[in-house]
Amino acid sequence: MQAFNFDEVIERRFSDSYKWNSYPPEVLPLWVADMDFPSPPAVVEALQRRVAHGIFGYPDWLRNQPEEAMALRELITERLYRLYRWRVHTHEILFLPGVIPGLNLASHAFAVPNGGVLVQTPVYPPILQVARTTGAVPQEAPLQQNADGSYTIDFEALERAITPQTRLFILCNPHNPVGRVFRREELEKIAEICLRKGVIICADEIHSDLIYSGYSHLPIASLSPEVAFRTITLMAPSKTFNLPGLQCAFAIVPDAEMRKTLLAARRGLIPWVNLLGIIAAQAAYQHGEAWLQALLAYLQDNRDFLVHYAQQHLPNIHITPPQGTYLAWLDCRAAHLPDGAYQFFLDKAHLAFNDGVTFGKEGEGFVRMNFACPRKTLAEALNRMRTALVA
């Protein structure tokens, strides 16, 4: 396997980084889901070749089928079949500038006006805000936290939360922030409830490539044709290959009428996706597998280092090892931190996490940590936490 150096610490404060420039220089940022690793070399090389052309006109991904767009569609369909034995046709793929625009587009298309959008809290803040952002009715079905800190789905609560008003259920799998990778039987039960209740599933599966050993991702739409025809699946190479700034994602929509409705809803709002994003996505899916496997091994070691450190040195901070994503959900409630965990670590340790309350009321007392960084950076952050907690 080709060697990749994930230990290299790269200065990002002078690279227009939202993650690194949102706080003062003394603050170490481990918040927004943006890795501190360079993208695969093949992606960088493909972008350099395209940039050398020197002209960056409007792309034509929507109206026609240029060679690059068809090549990417074929790579996606081949990849989905190889990973999940899920047969997707190229015409079922719609390109988008991001998964969050896709979620909001789905709400505009199927829930507005007067329809409900149901989410499972605690959940990624832009998902939590989809209903309010689009003028739909917000609905919540909290996940159930077990005694060991892990999360499961309360199916009775999920079914109770669905009303005649509910039009759209947003599934986040792998789940952000709790790190669950839902099992087949859980997905089957979700699908059965939604189909029986006439609710469309919109599946945010952006972290589907970031799964740790012992677990496997299963797209909910791959369960059966019946489920697929009631599901909008949203995926992207952005988290997998660290390409979020290039704004390229895609929706898989097997039902022709649903595709037609989505295309109509995007008119005037989402005319095309980023030209370089398409180039990067194609290179990543075609040539990035070795890099991805090396990344997963490094992230799993980071995860285990984090959990072990917390067990040894942060006794009042509980972390359930995430099954997927590079995000850890830290339960700080037992530490009884003044001003809340987020503010405490920002003020006392100069660490920036995501405040748990932004993920819903169930996140009070929690913070979310991004551990997709060089081990040296992670160790520095943990040492700062330890020092702050014993001061």
Side-chain angles (χ1 to χ4, degrees):
M1 179 181 292
Q2 182 180 352
F4 302 98
N5 183 13
F6 296 107
D7 283 320
E8 181 183 7
V9 177
I10 299 174
E11 175 59 59
R12 297 190 61 196
R13 291 192 189 275
F14 306 105
S15 63
D16 299 314
S17 171
Y18 175 52
K19 176 181 180 179
W20 281 85
N21 292 339
S22 294
Y23 290 90
E26 67 272 16
V27 173
L28 188 60
L30 293 92
W31 61 296
V32 67
D34 171 339
M35 296 191 284
D36 289 326
F37 308 127
S39 296
V43 170
V44 177
E45 292 164 7
L47 290 171
Q48 288 172 335
R49 288 193 298 271
R50 183 61 184 83
V51 167
H53 182 264
I55 298 177
F56 310 104
Y58 295 119
D60 198 19
W61 310 127
L62 293 180
R63 189 169 52 85
N64 296 316
Q65 297 289 321
E67 181 179 345
E68 293 89 345
M70 273 310 301
L72 179 55
R73 282 188 168 92
E74 289 168 358
L75 281 171
I76 291 169
T77 59
E78 291 166 3
R79 194 168 192 276
L80 293 174
Y81 184 75
R82 172 171 55 84
L83 293 175
Y84 313 117
R85 290 298 180 264
W86 182 23
R87 292 194 183 278
V88 170
H89 300 289
T90 56
H91 66 268
E92 297 171 352
I93 299 171
L94 306 177
F95 291 122
L96 298 164
V99 164
I100 295 306
L103 292 167
N104 285 282
L105 180 66
S107 179
H108 275 297
F110 299 106
V112 177
N114 303 320
V117 176
L118 177 62
V119 301
Q120 294 174 299
T121 51
V123 72
Y124 179 47
I127 292 178
L128 186 64
Q129 295 300 322
V130 163
R132 293 180 177 88
T133 300
T134 59
V137 178
Q139 298 177 318
E140 297 179 11
L143 293 170
Q144 178 176 301
Q145 189 176 27
N146 304 312
D148 64 356
S150 64
Y151 287 82
T152 53
I153 299 172
D154 183 338
F155 287 105
E156 291 184 359
L158 177 64
E159 188 153 2
R160 284 196 306 270
I162 297 175
T163 70
Q165 203 171 22
T166 310
R167 300 288 181 270
L168 195 70
F169 168 64
I170 299 179
L171 170 67
C172 185
N173 182 38
H175 193 279
N176 175 5
V178 308
R180 275 296 317 280
V181 176
F182 294 119
R183 302 185 305 273
R184 174 182 286 270
E185 56 267 31
E186 293 175 299
L187 297 173
E188 288 175 339
K189 183 62 175 175
I190 289 172
E192 186 277 324
I193 292 172
C194 288
L195 264 63
R196 173 162 44 85
K197 296 283 190 175
V199 175
I200 293 171
I201 301 168
C202 190
D204 171 2
E205 302 188 9
I206 195 170
H207 290 99
S208 58
D209 293 312
L210 301 169
I211 309 295
Y212 300 118
S213 59
Y215 305 94
S216 58
H217 178 74
L218 181 69
I220 192 169
S222 70
L223 291 174
S224 72
E226 292 77 18
V227 177
F229 276 84
R230 294 293 292 170
T231 301
I232 300 162
T233 303
L234 298 169
M235 293 179 166
S238 55
K239 303 302 181 189
T240 309
F241 299 103
N242 205 24
L243 307 171
L246 293 179
Q247 298 179 311
C248 176
F250 55 92
I252 302 165
V253 191
D255 182 75
E257 286 302 313
M258 287 175 63
R259 283 200 308 277
K260 182 178 178 181
T261 301
L262 280 172
L263 286 169
R266 70 184 289 169
R267 289 191 189 117
L269 296 175
I270 305 177
W272 45 66
V273 297
N274 189 299
L275 170 67
L276 296 181
I278 293 285
I279 301 298
Q282 183 176 341
Y285 284 144
Q286 193 165 12
H287 303 295
E289 188 61 29
W291 182 91
L292 175 56
Q293 293 308 311
L295 170 74
L296 287 170
Y298 193 90
L299 289 177
Q300 183 158 318
D301 286 345
N302 265 10
R303 179 201 65 172
D304 295 345
F305 177 79
L306 164 62
V307 171
H308 179 73
Y309 188 102
Q311 291 170 343
Q312 296 296 313
H313 304 296
L314 309 174
N316 291 321
I317 307 297
H318 181 80
I319 306 172
T320 299
Q323 302 167 356
T325 81
Y326 48 75
L327 307 165
W329 188 232
L330 280 57
D331 186 345
C332 307
R333 291 174 294 180
H336 303 293
L337 300 175
D339 301 320
Y342 166 80
Q343 199 64 46
F344 174 85
F345 287 119
L346 183 61
D347 293 341
K348 303 299 183 181
H350 293 157
L351 293 172
F353 300 130
N354 287 94
D355 192 343
V357 297
T358 64
F359 296 79
K361 61 181 181 293
E362 294 80 10
E364 186 173 355
F366 290 76
V367 292
R368 191 191 74 173
M369 171 192 274
N370 174 355
F371 57 85
C373 57
R375 191 78 37 79
K376 180 180 179 181
T377 303
L378 180 59
E380 168 67 18
L382 292 170
N383 288 332
R384 290 190 190 190
M385 291 179 70
R386 181 183 184 183
T387 299
L389 288 166
V390 300

